[in-house]
């Protein structure tokens, strides 16, 4: 008997709606190549319907009290906790990451929802009584209107949580376009938010490819667009959105470095590096893809390789696995092609993850951990974001040489330093030109009440997700200057100057 493959619906105006499109994409389990769902490439009319639904809902939602919005977020975080196992299974089935890693992703998304529960204090304005004689000045922190989010495949729960919870808590409405490669967890997340109390139309979900992303950027009713994904797509999203006069934050590709000084705790530094480089099969925008070994720490390279050999590759449903498959056959081919190119360009392949065999999963998109030594800045494996389980190792004589090497890279998403020298750490954080710095931890993604602050080639737009910057991004400030006539009347006469009297 043939198994019926589910067709994912859109979420528009509070209802699950089957698309009328004639274009559907298979959603594959990366470990087996089994088709687990079909996702619609929504029509332009369906996109317009979703945006207009959000525009109508905004007129009501913007007037809802902060306390009510806060209580919705409180209920949402409760539901997110209760459905963690369900969401993790969806992530693993369509993305391939291990179940523990998927659960960790949900936990990081949950942090943002918990932060949104504080919206009553986050959205406070300022007030100055008698800024001039009898004149008060105050600010109103108001929502923008219809906002949109476009997410990459690598975090189908966390990335939407970086966007819509704070946006709707601020009084906006939202249209989400998840990645078409693993959309089920994002759709389920939106359903939970609606179950928590978001009225119909406040959060809509439209599936699709570049046409839907471009349509959100250019729709006249959309006021702000958030994107997290690759540099190529992010640059185009930013251009389209800003050309259309919208706010845009575009968090893009990276080449994250980990600098290890010889005074670092060897076990801690190497173990943390291995986890950061190869977790999620390297498919993280904050993955450590370059290790810079300084001075005597260069002698630790054989130890690094041996520790990496111990990692287990298997389907994500195996809770003892350290990394699962890549998202698609195309991703596997690209990563293996870059490994081959690294060899051709003269790097030393110290650990080759190509051709890894996983029992029972012969069709999976598996690439094992791979390590290159002797990497130079001009090599393709250093220039390109591999987005796979490949670590490039670079050597430096001094900390300042390492800092100069990192600063010469055009990207600025994250960097780490391992040391036991506080002076070296302070020198590093002061002189490194990267937006997010980790000291003795390898993936410096801050907690959600601090902003995500990637920089340079990794970010377009002034404000990043999460924290205070996110509240600024999803709101506009209105300044009111007011005079109320006191008893006995206000000022008399005509004043043709700009002086407040």
């Amino acid at each position: 008997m043939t198994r019926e493959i589910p067709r994912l619906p859109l979420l528009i105006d509070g209802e699950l709606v089957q698309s009328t499109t004639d274009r559907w994409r298979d959603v594959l389990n990366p470990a087996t190549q089994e088709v687990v769902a079909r996702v619609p490439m929504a029509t332009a009319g369906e996109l317009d319907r979703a945006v207009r639904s959000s525009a109508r809902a905004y007129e009501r939602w913007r007037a809802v009290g902060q306390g009510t919005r806060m209580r919705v977020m409180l209920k949402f975080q409760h539901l997110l906790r209760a459905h963690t196992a369900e969401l993790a299974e969806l992530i693993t089935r369509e993305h391939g990451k291990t179940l523990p890693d998927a659960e960790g992703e949900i936990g990081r998304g949950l942090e943002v929802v918990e932060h949104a529960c504080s919206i009553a204090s986050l959205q406070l304005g300022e007030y100055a009584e008698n800024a001039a004689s009898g004149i008060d000045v105050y600010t109103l922190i108001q929502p923008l209107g219809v906002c949109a989010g476009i997410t990459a495949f690598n975090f189908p729960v966390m990335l939407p949580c970086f966007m819509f919870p704070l946006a709707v808590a601020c009084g906006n409405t939202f249209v989400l376009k998840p990645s078409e490669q693993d959309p089920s967890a994002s759709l389920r997340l939106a359903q939970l938010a609606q179950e928590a109390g978001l009225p119909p139309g406040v959060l809509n979900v439209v599936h699709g490819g570049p046409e839907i992303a471009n349509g959100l950027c250019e729709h006249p009713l959309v006021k702000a667009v958030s994107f997290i994904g690759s540099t190529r797509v992010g640059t185009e999203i930013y251009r389209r959105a800003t050309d259309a006069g919208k706010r845009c934050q575009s968090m893009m590709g990276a080449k994250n470095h980990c600098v290890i000084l010889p005074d670092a705790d060897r076990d801690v530094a190497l173990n943390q590096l291995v986890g950061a480089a190869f977790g999620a099969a390297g498919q993280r925008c904050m993955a450590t893809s370059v290790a810079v070994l300084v001075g005597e720490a260069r002698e630790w390279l054989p130890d690094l390789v041996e520790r990496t050999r111990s990692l287990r590759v298997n389907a994500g449903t195996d809770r003892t696995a350290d990394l699962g498959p890549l998202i698609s056959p195309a991703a596997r081919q690209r990563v293996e092609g870059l490994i081959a190119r690294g060899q051709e360009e003269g790097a030393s392949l110290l650990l080759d993850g190509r051709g890894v065999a996983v029992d029972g999963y012969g069709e999976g998109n598996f690439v094992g951990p791979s390590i290159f030594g002797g990497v130079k800045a001009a090599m393709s494996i250093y220039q390109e974001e591999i987005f796979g389980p490949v670590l490039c190792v670079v050597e430096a004589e001094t900390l300042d040489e390492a800092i100069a090497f990192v600063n010469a890279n055009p990207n600025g998403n994250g960097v780490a330093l391992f040391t036991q020298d506080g002076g070296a750490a302070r020198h590093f954080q002061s002189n490194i030109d990267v937006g997010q710095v980790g000291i003795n931890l390898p993936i410096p993604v801050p907690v959600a009440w601090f902003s995500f602050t990637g920089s340079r080639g990794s970010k377009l737009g002034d404000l990043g997700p999460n924290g205070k910057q996110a509240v600024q991004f999803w709101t506009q400030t209105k300044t009111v200057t007011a005079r109320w006539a006191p008893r006995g009347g206000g000022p008399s006469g005509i004043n043709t100057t700009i002086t407040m009297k």
Side-chain angles (χ1 to χ4, degrees):
M1 183 176 179
T2 303
R3 180 181 65 87
E4 184 176 354
I5 298 172
R7 293 192 168 210
L8 296 180
L10 313 174
L11 178 62
I12 300 179
D13 212 25
E15 300 290 337
L16 294 176
V17 178
Q18 283 297 328
S19 174
T20 60
T21 186
D22 58 0
R23 297 170 54 230
W24 295 78
R25 172 174 173 149
D26 289 344
V27 179
L28 303 178
N29 182 327
T32 64
Q33 304 308 308
E34 175 193 7
V35 179
V36 295
R38 291 197 170 97
V39 61
M41 302 294 101
T43 66
E46 289 164 341
L47 172 62
D48 183 68
R49 178 182 167 191
V51 173
R52 293 187 183 279
S53 164
S54 286
R56 291 191 301 271
Y58 173 67
E59 295 307 316
R60 302 184 301 273
W61 183 245
R62 64 181 299 196
V64 169
Q66 287 180 329
T68 299
R69 285 184 256 138
M70 181 176 64
R71 284 188 287 275
V72 171
M73 289 297 109
L74 286 166
K75 179 68 179 296
F76 183 35
Q77 65 90 19
H78 171 74
L79 290 172
L80 195 48
R81 289 181 187 277
H83 290 266
T84 291
E86 175 192 358
L87 289 167
E89 288 173 3
L90 290 173
I91 293 170
T92 297
R93 186 182 70 182
E94 295 183 359
H95 176 280
K97 67 177 62 175
T98 65
L99 280 170
D101 193 24
E103 291 160 357
E105 171 187 343
I106 296 163
R108 294 310 300 262
L110 184 61
E111 283 183 6
V112 190
V113 180
E114 291 170 339
H115 184 51
C117 294
S118 303
I119 194 61
S121 59
L122 296 173
Q123 206 172 353
L124 292 175
E126 299 173 312
Y127 192 100
E129 184 181 20
N130 285 323
S133 181
I135 295 175
D136 304 326
V137 180
Y138 50 96
T139 57
L140 308 176
I141 311 301
Q142 298 183 325
L144 299 171
V146 180
C147 300
I150 301 162
T151 60
F153 72 86
N154 55 332
F155 289 98
V157 166
M158 189 184 77
L159 295 186
C161 283
F162 274 25
M163 298 177 182
F164 77 78
L166 272 172
V168 300
C170 287
N172 301 289
T173 54
F174 205 89
V175 181
L176 174 67
K177 192 210 88 66
S179 170
E180 61 273 27
Q181 296 189 78
D182 51 1
S184 295
S186 302
L187 177 62
R188 184 67 183 121
L189 181 73
Q191 289 178 277
L192 292 175
Q194 184 172 279
E195 185 179 335
L198 289 183
V202 171
L203 176 60
N204 292 315
V205 178
V206 182
H207 303 293
E211 298 90 348
I212 295 300
N214 294 341
L216 285 170
C217 293
E218 296 168 350
H219 198 290
L221 295 180
V222 173
K223 304 299 183 184
V225 177
S226 178
F227 170 81
I228 304 178
S230 72
T231 297
R232 179 184 61 81
V233 177
T235 302
E236 178 67 8
I237 291 292
Y238 188 81
R239 182 191 67 80
R240 286 181 179 271
T242 54
D243 283 355
K246 307 181 192 311
R247 290 188 185 185
C248 186
Q249 56 178 205
S250 187
M251 312 306 294
M252 307 185 298
K255 201 71 177 179
N256 305 309
H257 299 71
C258 178
V259 178
I260 299 179
L261 299 187
D263 72 328
D265 184 307
R266 180 169 176 159
D267 283 339
V268 170
L270 294 183
N271 288 340
Q272 292 281 303
L273 171 59
V274 171
F278 302 112
Q283 297 174 118
R284 296 170 176 157
C285 64
M286 291 295 291
T288 298
S289 53
V290 183
V292 184
L293 304 183
V294 179
E296 295 176 1
R298 292 174 293 186
E299 300 172 6
W300 301 356
L301 181 53
D303 191 1
L304 171 64
V305 173
E306 288 309 307
R307 290 170 192 253
T308 304
R309 288 187 195 278
S310 68
L311 297 181
R312 294 189 67 252
V313 181
N314 205 346
T317 50
D318 176 5
R319 284 190 169 272
T320 67
D322 296 295
L323 61 157
L326 296 172
I327 186 68
S328 67
R332 175 183 177 180
Q333 292 167 10
R334 180 178 180 276
V335 170
E336 290 181 340
L338 281 165
I339 293 174
R341 201 183 314 171
Q343 286 183 292
E344 293 167 3
E345 293 178 348
S348 300
L349 185 56
L350 306 175
L351 188 62
D352 188 352
R354 293 172 296 179
V356 63
V358 177
D359 289 343
Y361 297 95
E363 299 299 317
N365 309 318
F366 295 100
V367 176
S370 302
I371 297 178
F372 277 105
V375 175
K376 306 300 181 185
M379 293 179 176
S380 300
I381 52 173
Y382 181 75
Q383 291 289 322
E384 296 189 33
E385 184 178 23
I386 299 175
F387 224 62
V390 181
L391 178 65
C392 298
V393 180
V394 174
E395 298 182 359
E397 289 284 349
T398 66
L399 175 59
D400 283 330
E401 181 184 332
I403 290 172
F405 184 83
V406 175
N407 286 348
N409 190 283
N411 295 295
N413 217 18
V415 67
L417 174 72
F418 280 82
T419 182
Q420 297 188 70
D421 185 335
R426 194 172 192 280
H427 178 75
F428 182 82
Q429 71 185 33
S430 297
N431 291 280
I432 203 74
D433 188 14
V434 176
Q436 298 174 121
V437 181
I439 304 296
N440 294 322
L441 55 85
I443 302 181
V445 178
V447 291
W449 44 98
F450 282 78
S451 299
F452 192 95
T453 52
S455 63
R456 295 194 284 140
S458 297
K459 175 185 177 183
L460 290 172
D462 296 330
L463 302 170
N466 298 348
K468 293 179 180 179
Q469 288 189 16
V471 175
Q472 290 178 281
F473 181 77
W474 298 120
T475 60
Q476 56 191 341
T477 302
K478 182 182 291 182
T479 305
V480 180
T481 304
R483 169 188 279 146
W484 292 98
R487 293 181 180 180
S492 60
I494 297 172
N495 177 18
T496 61
T497 75
I498 63 171
T499 304
M500 291 184 180
K501 297 182 178 179

